[in-house]
Amino acid sequence: MSEIAIIDYGLGNLYSIYKAFAYQEIPARLTDQPKSLKEASAIVLPGVGAFEDGMKGLNDRGFTEEVIRFAATGKPVLGICLGMQMLMDESLEMGQHKGLGLIPGRVIPFENNKEKPIKIPHMGWNEVKGFTTSPEMYYFVHSYYVQPKNQDHVVGVTEYGSYQFCSIVQKDNILGFQFHPEKSANAGLALLKDFSKKTQEGL
Amino acid sequence: MSQLPVRMIPRLDVKNNTVVKGIHLEGLRVVGNPVELAVKYYQEGADEILYMDAVASLYERNSLLPIVKDTAKSVFIPMTVGGGVRTLDDIRNLLNAGADKVAINTAAIKRPEFIREASHKYGSQCIVLSIEAKKLGSKWEAYMDTGREATGVDVLEWAEKAVSLGAGEILITSIDHEGMKKGFDIDLIQEISKRVEVPLIACGGAGNSQHVIEAIQSGHADAVACASLFHYNLEHLSDVKNKLHQAEIPVRLLGRAA
């Protein structure tokens, strides 16, 4: 059965992501079984919380190797929020932590700046520019952001205070959204729908 | 955008599986079905939904879990749920049902450390401190149990303390202005926004879009929660957003990209 597998590694609210697919009649299921990823047409790596806890959740449940193996098959992988950050090589969130290493680059914190003060976390609706002709708004909640090594992997950017950070990252079949498509109304649902189409066509 | 859009948040107070609306948080009248109203506001362009269990503290439980779960099937914007949130398990259950944030009042006043524990476990971004304020001379006093019980706690001091304990957002409801449709308590909103760095949701008193604009421009609120304004269709949600847009307040407009 060719379904999108949403990885349940013990962190975050998976119900809303699952319902965002179900609402659009896209076949998807939650799984906490690393071995079952093989059968999936695509995988979604969700997540909220701290980077270290996220990687520990993947490692403890035996997901890390299986996700890397799945990514190597060329089938689509989507990381959302913390899930996107874990696609990178490493994070500097409270120490230095190794990520999945599927996209070269790192995860770094927002820092406040006196000229253009910002509230941290960056929480609320904001625009993503770059990947469609007219920018759409999506819902963000995060204090860290990804910095890909290769600018070609930056597909969408978002402005916040004096920052312009990468809000959509993509390297071949590996895609990441910093915002929550499942909480971003029609604009977000449309991105999940597009992703599900890619499972047939390839990214 | 370097400045985030102001969020418009319909507030749904729920009692016995029905949305109700009162004046000064009392004398509740039936408005409609919670899930149907949430879906309607979602489709009209609400940026977030706020559910409050109107009688939770009275019965010492939050009865919104099934409603939240049902809403999450067809509403894809952030949901904040409050009323009767007393334990870490309560928070976990609501988040698992599709809520993104919880609003805490009574349990935090009784034991402020609860804010620290909750934000440590689930992150500050999902812990909203709900304050119900009543004017007392030149100050404001915090109330609990949905405006039923005075606490002797000074609102401004409490807001600062709760943020230092880890509250990631503040929902301020003026009991005096609540349900009156005559505008917000601007002084109260101003005083809190001066003191805390976290986002502030202003609630209580909106009767038209001009009131909303005042809360944002004079009060410096980051978000506005309204009940009567939308429940009684005094002004349509999209009209309010258009008025804000005309006043050069950043908002999320629907169908802009279409």
Side-chain angles (χ1 to χ4, degrees), chain A residues 89-171:
Chain A
D89 290 327
E90 62 166 3
S91 170
L92 303 184
E93 179 175 349
M94 293 181 261
Q96 191 171 3
H97 306 284
K98 198 169 171 284
L100 292 166
L102 296 173
I103 299 180
R106 54 184 196 156
V107 183
I108 56 176
F110 284 122
E111 275 160 19
N112 230 327
N113 135 350
K114 283 204 182 82
E115 279 130 51
K116 271 194 171 179
I118 50 171
K119 290 184 176 181
I120 302 169
H122 171 226
M123 179 170 72
W125 296 81
N126 205 340
E127 283 178 351
V128 175
K129 292 177 185 165
F131 79 113
T132 55
T133 44
S134 53
E136 279 278 4
M137 282 198 188
Y138 302 91
Y139 187 76
F140 289 83
V141 186
H142 63 126
S143 303
Y144 293 76
Y145 64 98
V146 307
Q147 199 177 48
K149 222 171 235 168
N150 184 341
Q151 277 304 305
D152 293 345
H153 298 156
V154 180
V155 176
V157 295
T158 295
E159 284 171 23
Y160 187 48
S162 55
Y163 283 94
Q164 190 179 55
F165 67 89
C166 171
S167 47
I168 301 182
V169 69
Q170 185 178 356
K171 176 178 178 274

Coordinates of all heavy atoms in Angstrom, one line a residue, chain A residues 89-171:
Chain A
D89 N 23.0 19.1 9.0 CA 24.2 18.4 9.6 C 24.2 18.5 11.1 O 24.4 17.5 11.8 CB 25.5 19.0 9.1 CG 25.8 18.7 7.6 OD1 25.4 17.6 7.2 OD2 26.3 19.6 6.9
E90 N 24.0 19.8 11.6 CA 24.1 20.0 13.0 C 23.3 21.2 13.5 O 22.9 22.0 12.7 CB 25.6 20.1 13.4 CG 26.2 21.4 12.7 CD 27.5 21.8 13.3 OE1 28.0 21.1 14.2 OE2 28.0 22.8 12.9
S91 N 23.1 21.2 14.8 CA 22.4 22.3 15.4 C 23.2 22.9 16.6 O 23.8 22.1 17.3 CB 21.0 21.9 15.9 OG 20.4 22.9 16.7
L92 N 23.1 24.2 16.7 CA 23.8 24.8 17.9 C 22.8 25.2 19.0 O 23.0 26.0 19.8 CB 24.5 26.1 17.4 CG 25.5 25.9 16.3 CD1 26.2 27.2 15.9 CD2 26.5 24.8 16.6
E93 N 21.6 24.5 19.0 CA 20.7 24.7 20.0 C 21.1 24.0 21.3 O 21.2 22.8 21.4 CB 19.3 24.1 19.6 CG 18.2 24.3 20.7 CD 16.8 23.9 20.3 OE1 16.6 23.6 19.1 OE2 16.0 23.8 21.2
M94 N 21.4 24.8 22.3 CA 21.9 24.4 23.6 C 23.0 23.3 23.5 O 22.8 22.1 23.8 CB 20.7 23.8 24.5 CG 19.7 24.9 24.8 SD 18.4 24.3 25.8 CE 17.1 24.1 24.6
G95 N 24.1 23.8 23.0 CA 25.3 22.9 22.8 C 25.4 22.6 21.3 O 24.9 23.5 20.5
Q96 N 26.0 21.5 20.9 CA 26.2 21.2 19.5 C 25.7 19.8 19.3 O 26.1 18.9 20.0 CB 27.7 21.3 19.1 CG 27.9 21.3 17.6 CD 29.4 21.6 17.3 OE1 30.2 21.9 18.2 NE2 29.7 21.7 16.0
H97 N 24.7 19.6 18.4 CA 24.1 18.3 18.2 C 24.1 17.9 16.8 O 23.8 18.7 15.9 CB 22.7 18.3 18.8 CG 22.7 18.8 20.2 ND1 23.1 18.0 21.3 CD2 22.3 19.9 20.8 CE1 22.9 18.6 22.4 NE2 22.5 19.8 22.1
K98 N 24.3 16.6 16.5 CA 24.4 16.1 15.2 C 23.0 15.9 14.7 O 22.1 15.4 15.4 CB 25.2 14.8 15.2 CG 25.7 14.3 13.9 CD 26.7 13.1 14.1 CE 27.1 12.5 12.8 NZ 26.0 11.6 12.2
G99 N 22.7 16.3 13.4 CA 21.4 16.0 12.8 C 21.5 14.9 11.8 O 22.4 14.1 11.9
L100 N 20.5 14.7 10.9 CA 20.5 13.6 10.0 C 21.5 13.8 8.9 O 21.8 12.8 8.2 CB 19.0 13.5 9.4 CG 18.0 13.0 10.4 CD1 16.6 13.3 9.8 CD2 18.1 11.6 10.8
G101 N 21.9 15.0 8.6 CA 22.9 15.2 7.6 C 22.4 15.0 6.2 O 23.2 14.6 5.3
L102 N 21.1 15.2 5.9 CA 20.6 15.0 4.6 C 20.8 16.2 3.7 O 20.7 16.1 2.5 CB 19.1 14.6 4.7 CG 18.8 13.2 5.4 CD1 17.3 13.0 5.5 CD2 19.4 12.1 4.6
I103 N 20.9 17.4 4.4 CA 21.2 18.6 3.6 C 22.3 19.3 4.4 O 22.3 19.5 5.6 CB 19.9 19.5 3.6 CG1 18.8 18.8 2.9 CG2 20.3 20.9 2.9 CD1 17.5 19.7 2.8
P104 N 23.4 19.7 3.6 CA 24.5 20.3 4.3 C 24.1 21.7 4.9 O 23.5 22.5 4.2 CB 25.5 20.5 3.2 CG 25.1 19.7 2.0 CD 23.6 19.5 2.2
G105 N 24.6 21.9 6.1 CA 24.3 23.2 6.7 C 24.0 23.0 8.2 O 24.1 21.9 8.7
R106 N 23.6 24.1 8.9 CA 23.4 24.0 10.3 C 22.2 24.8 10.8 O 21.6 25.5 10.0 CB 24.7 24.5 11.0 CG 25.1 25.9 10.6 CD 26.4 26.4 11.2 NE 26.4 27.8 11.0 CZ 27.2 28.6 11.8 NH1 27.9 28.2 12.8 NH2 27.2 29.9 11.5
V107 N 21.9 24.6 12.1 CA 20.7 25.3 12.7 C 21.3 26.3 13.7 O 22.0 25.9 14.6 CB 19.8 24.3 13.3 CG1 18.6 24.9 13.9 CG2 19.4 23.2 12.3
I108 N 20.9 27.5 13.6 CA 21.4 28.6 14.5 C 20.3 29.4 15.1 O 19.2 29.4 14.6 CB 22.5 29.5 13.8 CG1 21.9 30.1 12.6 CG2 23.7 28.7 13.5 CD1 22.8 31.1 11.9
P109 N 20.5 30.1 16.3 CA 19.5 30.8 16.9 C 19.3 32.2 16.4 O 20.2 32.8 15.9 CB 20.0 30.9 18.4 CG 21.5 30.8 18.3 CD 21.8 30.0 17.0
F110 N 18.0 32.7 16.5 CA 17.8 34.2 16.3 C 18.4 34.9 17.5 O 18.4 34.4 18.6 CB 16.3 34.5 16.4 CG 15.5 34.1 15.2 CD1 14.5 33.2 15.3 CD2 15.8 34.6 13.9 CE1 13.7 32.8 14.1 CE2 15.1 34.3 12.8 CZ 14.1 33.4 12.9
E111 N 19.0 36.0 17.2 CA 19.6 36.8 18.3 C 19.0 38.2 18.2 O 18.8 38.7 17.1 CB 21.1 36.8 18.2 CG 21.8 35.6 18.8 CD 23.2 35.3 18.4 OE1 23.8 36.3 17.8 OE2 23.6 34.2 18.5
N112 N 18.8 38.8 19.3 CA 18.2 40.2 19.3 C 19.2 41.2 18.9 O 20.4 41.1 19.1 CB 17.5 40.5 20.5 CG 16.1 41.0 20.2 OD1 15.9 41.6 19.2 ND2 15.1 40.7 21.0
N113 N 18.7 42.3 18.3 CA 19.5 43.3 17.8 C 18.8 44.6 18.1 O 17.6 44.8 18.0 CB 19.7 43.0 16.3 CG 19.6 44.1 15.3 OD1 19.2 45.2 15.6 ND2 20.0 43.7 14.1
K114 N 19.6 45.6 18.6 CA 19.0 46.8 19.2 C 18.3 47.6 18.2 O 17.2 48.2 18.5 CB 20.1 47.6 19.9 CG 20.5 47.1 21.2 CD 21.1 48.1 22.1 CE 21.6 47.6 23.4 NZ 22.9 46.9 23.3
E115 N 18.8 47.7 16.9 CA 18.1 48.6 15.9 C 16.8 48.1 15.5 O 15.8 48.8 15.3 CB 19.0 48.7 14.7 CG 20.1 49.8 14.9 CD 21.5 49.2 14.6 OE1 21.7 48.7 13.4 OE2 22.4 49.3 15.4
K116 N 16.7 46.8 15.3 CA 15.4 46.2 14.9 C 15.0 45.1 15.9 O 15.2 43.9 15.6 CB 15.5 45.6 13.5 CG 15.2 46.6 12.4 CD 15.0 45.9 11.1 CE 14.5 46.8 10.0 NZ 14.4 46.1 8.7
P117 N 14.5 45.4 17.1 CA 14.3 44.4 18.0 C 13.2 43.4 17.6 O 12.2 43.8 16.9 CB 13.8 45.2 19.3 CG 13.5 46.5 18.8 CD 14.2 46.7 17.5
I118 N 13.3 42.2 17.9 CA 12.3 41.2 17.5 C 11.9 40.4 18.8 O 12.6 40.4 19.8 CB 12.8 40.2 16.5 CG1 14.2 39.6 16.9 CG2 12.9 40.8 15.1 CD1 14.6 38.4 16.0
K119 N 10.7 39.8 18.7 CA 10.3 38.9 19.8 C 10.7 37.5 19.4 O 10.6 37.1 18.3 CB 8.7 39.0 20.0 CG 8.3 40.3 20.6 CD 6.8 40.4 20.9 CE 6.5 41.8 21.6 NZ 5.1 42.0 21.9
I120 N 11.3 36.8 20.4 CA 11.7 35.4 20.1 C 11.0 34.5 21.1 O 11.0 34.9 22.3 CB 13.3 35.3 20.3 CG1 14.0 36.3 19.4 CG2 13.7 33.9 20.1 CD1 15.5 36.4 19.7
P121 N 10.3 33.5 20.7 CA 10.3 32.9 19.4 C 9.6 33.8 18.3 O 8.8 34.6 18.7 CB 9.5 31.6 19.6 CG 8.7 31.8 20.8 CD 9.5 32.7 21.7
H122 N 9.9 33.5 17.1 CA 9.2 34.1 16.0 C 7.9 33.3 15.9 O 7.9 32.1 15.5 CB 10.1 33.8 14.7 CG 9.4 34.2 13.4 ND1 9.5 33.3 12.3 CD2 8.7 35.2 13.0 CE1 8.8 33.9 11.3 NE2 8.3 35.0 11.7
M123 N 6.8 33.9 16.3 CA 5.6 33.2 16.4 C 4.5 34.0 15.7 O 4.2 35.1 16.1 CB 5.2 32.9 17.9 CG 3.9 32.2 18.1 SD 3.7 31.6 19.8 CE 3.3 33.2 20.6
G124 N 3.8 33.4 14.8 CA 2.7 34.1 14.1 C 2.8 33.8 12.6 O 3.6 33.0 12.1
W125 N 2.0 34.6 11.9 CA 1.9 34.4 10.4 C 3.0 35.3 9.8 O 3.2 36.4 10.2 CB 0.5 34.8 9.9 CG -0.6 33.9 10.4 CD1 -1.2 34.0 11.6 CD2 -1.2 32.9 9.7 NE1 -2.1 33.0 11.7 CE2 -2.2 32.3 10.6 CE3 -1.0 32.3 8.5 CZ2 -3.0 31.2 10.2 CZ3 -1.8 31.2 8.1 CH2 -2.8 30.7 9.0
N126 N 3.6 34.7 8.7 CA 4.6 35.5 8.0 C 4.7 35.0 6.6 O 4.3 33.9 6.3 CB 6.0 35.4 8.7 CG 6.9 36.6 8.5 OD1 6.6 37.4 7.5 ND2 7.8 36.8 9.3
E127 N 5.3 35.9 5.8 CA 5.3 35.6 4.3 C 6.5 34.7 4.0 O 7.6 34.9 4.6 CB 5.5 36.9 3.5 CG 4.2 37.6 3.4 CD 4.4 39.0 2.7 OE1 5.5 39.4 2.4 OE2 3.3 39.6 2.4
V128 N 6.3 33.8 3.0 CA 7.5 33.1 2.4 C 7.6 33.6 1.0 O 6.6 33.6 0.2 CB 7.2 31.6 2.4 CG1 8.3 30.8 1.7 CG2 7.1 31.1 3.9
K129 N 8.8 34.0 0.6 CA 9.0 34.5 -0.7 C 9.9 33.6 -1.5 O 10.8 33.0 -0.9 CB 9.7 35.9 -0.7 CG 8.8 37.0 -0.1 CD 9.5 38.3 0.0 CE 8.6 39.3 0.7 NZ 9.4 40.5 1.1
G130 N 9.8 33.6 -2.8 CA 10.8 32.9 -3.6 C 10.3 31.8 -4.4 O 10.8 31.5 -5.5
F131 N 9.3 31.1 -3.9 CA 9.0 29.8 -4.6 C 7.7 29.9 -5.3 O 7.3 29.1 -6.1 CB 9.0 28.6 -3.6 CG 7.8 28.5 -2.8 CD1 6.9 27.4 -3.0 CD2 7.5 29.4 -1.8 CE1 5.8 27.3 -2.2 CE2 6.3 29.3 -1.1 CZ 5.5 28.3 -1.3
T132 N 6.9 31.0 -5.1 CA 5.8 31.3 -6.0 C 5.9 32.7 -6.4 O 6.6 33.5 -5.8 CB 4.4 31.0 -5.3 OG1 4.4 31.8 -4.1 CG2 4.2 29.6 -4.9
T133 N 5.1 33.1 -7.4 CA 5.2 34.5 -7.9 C 4.7 35.5 -6.8 O 5.2 36.6 -6.7 CB 4.4 34.6 -9.2 OG1 3.1 34.0 -9.0 CG2 5.2 34.0 -10.4
S134 N 3.6 35.1 -6.1 CA 3.1 36.0 -5.1 C 3.3 35.4 -3.7 O 3.0 34.2 -3.5 CB 1.7 36.3 -5.3 OG 0.9 35.1 -5.4
P135 N 3.8 36.1 -2.8 CA 4.1 35.5 -1.5 C 2.8 35.1 -0.7 O 1.8 35.8 -0.8 CB 4.9 36.6 -0.7 CG 4.6 37.8 -1.4 CD 4.2 37.5 -2.8
E136 N 2.8 34.0 0.0 CA 1.7 33.6 0.8 C 2.1 33.6 2.3 O 3.3 33.6 2.6 CB 1.3 32.1 0.5 CG 0.5 32.0 -0.8 CD -1.0 32.2 -0.5 OE1 -1.3 32.6 0.6 OE2 -1.8 32.1 -1.5
M137 N 1.2 33.6 3.2 CA 1.5 33.6 4.6 C 1.3 32.2 5.2 O 0.3 31.6 4.9 CB 0.6 34.6 5.4 CG 1.1 36.0 5.2 SD 0.4 37.1 6.4 CE 0.9 38.7 5.8
Y138 N 2.2 31.9 6.1 CA 2.2 30.6 6.8 C 2.4 30.9 8.3 O 3.0 31.9 8.7 CB 3.2 29.7 6.2 CG 3.1 29.4 4.7 CD1 3.7 30.3 3.8 CD2 2.2 28.5 4.3 CE1 3.5 30.1 2.4 CE2 2.1 28.3 2.9 CZ 2.7 29.1 2.0 OH 2.5 28.9 0.6
Y139 N 2.1 29.9 9.1 CA 2.2 30.0 10.5 C 3.5 29.5 11.1 O 3.8 28.3 10.9 CB 1.0 29.4 11.2 CG 1.0 29.7 12.7 CD1 0.6 30.9 13.2 CD2 1.4 28.7 13.6 CE1 0.5 31.2 14.5 CE2 1.3 29.0 15.0 CZ 0.9 30.2 15.4 OH 0.9 30.5 16.8
F140 N 4.3 30.3 11.7 CA 5.6 29.9 12.3 C 5.6 29.9 13.8 O 4.9 30.7 14.4 CB 6.6 31.0 11.9 CG 7.0 31.0 10.4 CD1 6.2 31.7 9.5 CD2 8.2 30.4 10.0 CE1 6.6 31.8 8.2 CE2 8.5 30.4 8.7 CZ 7.8 31.1 7.7
V141 N 6.4 29.0 14.4 CA 6.7 29.0 15.8 C 8.1 28.4 16.0 O 8.3 27.2 15.9 CB 5.8 28.2 16.7 CG1 6.1 28.3 18.2 CG2 4.3 28.5 16.4
H142 N 9.1 29.3 16.1 CA 10.5 28.8 16.3 C 11.4 29.8 16.8 O 11.2 31.0 16.6 CB 11.0 28.2 14.9 CG 11.1 29.2 13.8 ND1 12.3 29.4 13.2 CD2 10.2 30.1 13.3 CE1 12.1 30.4 12.3 NE2 10.8 30.8 12.4
S143 N 12.5 29.4 17.4 CA 13.6 30.3 17.9 C 14.9 30.1 17.2 O 15.8 30.8 17.4 CB 13.8 30.1 19.4 OG 12.6 30.2 20.1
Y144 N 15.0 29.0 16.4 CA 16.2 28.7 15.6 C 15.8 28.6 14.1 O 14.6 28.4 13.8 CB 16.8 27.4 16.1 CG 17.3 27.4 17.5 CD1 16.5 27.4 18.6 CD2 18.7 27.5 17.7 CE1 16.9 27.5 19.9 CE2 19.2 27.6 19.0 CZ 18.3 27.6 20.1 OH 18.8 27.7 21.4
Y145 N 16.8 28.7 13.3 CA 16.5 28.6 11.8 C 17.7 27.9 11.1 O 18.8 27.8 11.6 CB 16.2 30.0 11.2 CG 17.4 30.9 11.3 CD1 18.2 31.1 10.2 CD2 17.7 31.6 12.4 CE1 19.3 32.0 10.2 CE2 18.8 32.5 12.5 CZ 19.6 32.7 11.4 OH 20.7 33.5 11.4
V146 N 17.4 27.4 9.9 CA 18.5 26.7 9.2 C 19.2 27.6 8.3 O 18.7 28.5 7.8 CB 17.9 25.5 8.4 CG1 17.1 24.5 9.3 CG2 17.2 25.9 7.2
Q147 N 20.5 27.2 8.2 CA 21.4 28.0 7.3 C 22.1 27.0 6.4 O 23.1 26.4 6.8 CB 22.4 28.7 8.2 CG 23.2 29.8 7.5 CD 24.1 30.5 8.5 OE1 24.9 29.9 9.2 NE2 24.0 31.8 8.6
P148 N 21.5 26.7 5.2 CA 22.1 25.7 4.3 C 23.5 26.2 3.8 O 23.7 27.4 3.7 CB 21.1 25.6 3.2 CG 19.9 26.2 3.7 CD 20.3 27.3 4.7
K149 N 24.4 25.2 3.6 CA 25.7 25.6 3.1 C 25.6 26.1 1.7 O 26.3 27.0 1.3 CB 26.6 24.3 3.2 CG 28.0 24.6 3.7 CD 28.8 23.3 3.9 CE 29.3 23.3 5.3 NZ 29.8 21.9 5.7
N150 N 24.8 25.4 0.9 CA 24.6 25.7 -0.5 C 23.4 26.6 -0.7 O 22.3 26.1 -0.5 CB 24.5 24.4 -1.2 CG 24.5 24.6 -2.7 OD1 24.2 25.6 -3.2 ND2 24.8 23.5 -3.4
Q151 N 23.6 27.8 -1.3 CA 22.4 28.7 -1.5 C 21.4 28.1 -2.5 O 20.2 28.5 -2.4 CB 22.9 30.0 -2.0 CG 23.4 31.0 -0.9 CD 22.4 31.2 0.1 OE1 21.3 31.6 -0.2 NE2 22.7 31.0 1.4
D152 N 21.8 27.2 -3.3 CA 20.8 26.5 -4.2 C 19.8 25.7 -3.5 O 18.7 25.4 -4.0 CB 21.6 25.6 -5.2 CG 22.5 26.3 -6.1 OD1 22.3 27.6 -6.2 OD2 23.4 25.7 -6.7
H153 N 20.1 25.4 -2.2 CA 19.1 24.6 -1.5 C 18.1 25.5 -0.8 O 17.1 25.0 -0.1 CB 19.8 23.8 -0.4 CG 20.7 22.7 -1.1 ND1 21.8 22.2 -0.4 CD2 20.7 22.2 -2.3 CE1 22.4 21.3 -1.2 NE2 21.8 21.3 -2.4
V154 N 18.2 26.8 -0.8 CA 17.3 27.8 -0.2 C 16.2 28.0 -1.3 O 16.4 28.7 -2.3 CB 18.0 29.1 0.1 CG1 16.9 30.1 0.8 CG2 19.1 28.8 1.1
V155 N 15.0 27.5 -1.0 CA 13.9 27.6 -2.0 C 12.9 28.7 -1.6 O 12.3 29.4 -2.4 CB 13.1 26.3 -2.0 CG1 11.9 26.4 -2.9 CG2 14.1 25.2 -2.5
G156 N 12.8 29.0 -0.3 CA 11.9 30.1 0.2 C 12.6 30.8 1.3 O 13.3 30.2 2.1
V157 N 12.3 32.1 1.4 CA 12.9 32.9 2.5 C 11.8 33.7 3.1 O 10.8 34.1 2.5 CB 14.0 33.9 2.0 CG1 15.2 33.1 1.5 CG2 13.5 34.8 1.0
T158 N 12.1 34.1 4.4 CA 11.2 34.9 5.2 C 11.9 36.0 5.9 O 13.0 35.7 6.4 CB 10.4 33.9 6.2 OG1 9.6 33.0 5.5 CG2 9.5 34.7 7.2
E159 N 11.3 37.1 6.0 CA 11.9 38.2 6.7 C 11.4 38.4 8.1 O 10.2 38.3 8.3 CB 11.7 39.6 6.0 CG 12.5 39.7 4.7 CD 12.1 40.9 3.9 OE1 11.5 41.8 4.4 OE2 12.4 40.9 2.7
Y160 N 12.3 38.6 9.1 CA 11.8 38.9 10.4 C 12.9 39.8 11.1 O 14.0 39.4 11.2 CB 11.7 37.6 11.2 CG 11.1 37.7 12.6 CD1 9.9 38.5 12.7 CD2 11.6 37.1 13.7 CE1 9.4 38.7 14.0 CE2 11.1 37.3 14.9 CZ 9.9 38.1 15.1 OH 9.4 38.2 16.3
G161 N 12.4 41.0 11.5 CA 13.4 42.0 12.0 C 14.4 42.2 11.0 O 14.1 42.5 9.8
S162 N 15.7 42.1 11.4 CA 16.8 42.3 10.4 C 17.2 41.0 9.7 O 18.1 41.0 8.9 CB 18.0 42.9 11.1 OG 18.3 42.1 12.2
Y163 N 16.5 39.9 10.0 CA 16.8 38.6 9.4 C 16.1 38.4 8.1 O 14.9 38.8 7.9 CB 16.4 37.5 10.4 CG 17.3 37.3 11.5 CD1 17.0 37.9 12.8 CD2 18.4 36.5 11.4 CE1 17.9 37.8 13.8 CE2 19.3 36.3 12.5 CZ 19.0 36.9 13.7 OH 19.8 36.8 14.8
Q164 N 16.8 37.6 7.2 CA 16.1 37.0 6.1 C 16.6 35.6 6.2 O 17.7 35.3 5.9 CB 16.5 37.7 4.8 CG 15.6 37.2 3.7 CD 15.9 37.8 2.3 OE1 17.0 37.8 1.9 NE2 14.9 38.4 1.7
F165 N 15.7 34.7 6.6 CA 16.1 33.3 6.8 C 15.5 32.3 5.9 O 14.5 32.6 5.2 CB 15.9 32.9 8.3 CG 14.4 32.8 8.7 CD1 13.8 31.6 8.5 CD2 13.7 33.9 9.2 CE1 12.4 31.5 8.9 CE2 12.4 33.8 9.5 CZ 11.7 32.6 9.3
C166 N 16.0 31.1 5.8 CA 15.6 30.1 4.9 C 14.3 29.4 5.5 O 14.4 28.8 6.6 CB 16.7 29.1 4.7 SG 16.1 27.6 3.8
S167 N 13.2 29.6 4.9 CA 11.9 29.0 5.5 C 11.5 27.8 4.7 O 10.7 27.0 5.1 CB 10.8 30.0 5.5 OG 10.7 30.8 4.4
I168 N 12.0 27.6 3.5 CA 11.8 26.3 2.7 C 13.2 25.9 2.2 O 13.9 26.7 1.6 CB 10.9 26.5 1.5 CG1 9.5 27.0 2.0 CG2 10.7 25.1 0.8 CD1 8.5 27.1 0.9
V169 N 13.6 24.7 2.5 CA 14.9 24.2 2.1 C 14.6 22.9 1.2 O 13.6 22.2 1.4 CB 15.8 23.8 3.3 CG1 15.2 22.6 4.0 CG2 17.2 23.6 2.8
Q170 N 15.3 22.8 0.1 CA 15.2 21.6 -0.7 C 16.5 21.1 -1.3 O 17.2 22.0 -1.9 CB 14.1 21.8 -1.8 CG 13.9 20.5 -2.5 CD 12.8 20.6 -3.6 OE1 12.2 21.6 -3.8 NE2 12.6 19.5 -4.4
K171 N 16.8 19.9 -1.2 CA 17.9 19.3 -1.9 C 17.4 18.0 -2.6 O 17.0 17.0 -1.8 CB 19.1 19.0 -1.0 CG 20.2 18.3 -1.6 CD 21.4 18.0 -0.6 CE 22.5 17.3 -1.2 NZ 22.3 15.8 -1.2

